Amino acid sequence: MNPTMRTAPTSRSRAVAGAVAFLALAVAFAAGCGSGTDDPAESAKPTGPARSAEPTSHPTQDHSISAEVGERFTLTFEENASTREHWYLADPKPDASVVRSQGQKSESDSGDEPVPGAGSGLTFTFEATGEGSTEIVLTHCTFAAPCDGSGTSSPEPSSTASASATPSRPERVTYTVTVS
């Protein structure tokens, strides 16, 4: 081949060059898009409530919780399904304009490998949504104080059941949350 001759670009090299040009144009366009305001301080403001990466863990023995709007916090309890010990978010639910439930997560005490009979830590996560005060009510159900899957006490035993077999009521634990 003659060193002074050039070959015409192939269709593949043209396609790659076109894709690179399109990508460069898209990046330049995105960089030029702002908040629609000429005030740099205004465009730097966050658009939603501030959320910390890691929720604050509150001790369960402290029944008074203070939080700031946008803050996420958790309450963690030990439970064991094999002994019928469970925790539930009960009624009345917290005022959603002050605190909103973000769900719950269970982690086995035995680590990655499930072990029959092992307990677990159940973590309830909440987010402070607005200023005010509300209550979070949790029900602690056990073998001796059973309840249904929503944390409501099981129906009273029939009158034919002996007095010694009467289960006790599940424990209700109330947390007062103040958001500022």
Side-chain angles (χ1 to χ4, degrees):
M1 184 161 132
N2 183 347
T4 58
M5 286 183 64
R6 295 186 181 202
T7 58
T10 64
S11 61
R12 183 174 184 192
S13 63
R14 275 184 264 162
V16 170
V20 169
F22 176 77
L23 183 59
L25 182 60
V27 168
F29 178 76
C33 293
S35 65
T37 178
D38 292 333
D39 182 6
E42 188 68 28
S43 59
K45 287 184 181 176
T47 56
R51 290 189 180 161
S52 61
E54 221 26 64
T56 304
S57 178
H58 281 278
T60 56
Q61 67 273 16
D62 184 5
H63 292 242
S64 181
I65 299 170
S66 295
E68 294 181 13
V69 174
E71 181 181 344
R72 291 177 50 192
F73 61 92
T74 62
L75 295 166
T76 301
F77 301 88
E78 289 299 312
E79 67 175 10
N80 191 326
S82 67
T83 60
R84 294 194 228 169
E85 180 184 20
H86 300 281
W87 286 90
Y88 298 98
L89 180 60
D91 288 327
K93 302 289 190 256
D95 180 353
S97 68
V98 178
V99 170
R100 187 175 310 128
S101 173
Q102 297 295 305
Q104 61 194 41
K105 181 180 178 183
S106 182
E107 281 192 32
S108 175
D109 291 343
S110 63
D112 293 340
E113 281 297 314
V115 176
S120 60
L122 180 64
T123 300
F124 293 91
T125 302
F126 299 93
E127 181 177 353
T129 55
E131 291 185 4
S133 184
T134 190
E135 292 182 337
I136 296 171
V137 180
L138 298 167
T139 303
H140 183 212
C141 304
T142 64
F143 179 76
C147 55
D148 66 14
S150 68
T152 305
S153 294
S154 295
E156 292 296 321
S158 68
S159 59
T160 58
S162 70
S164 63
T166 304
S168 61
R169 294 237 177 240
E171 175 188 17
R172 290 175 57 90
V173 181
T174 303
Y175 294 87
T176 302
V177 182
T178 304
V179 178
S180 56

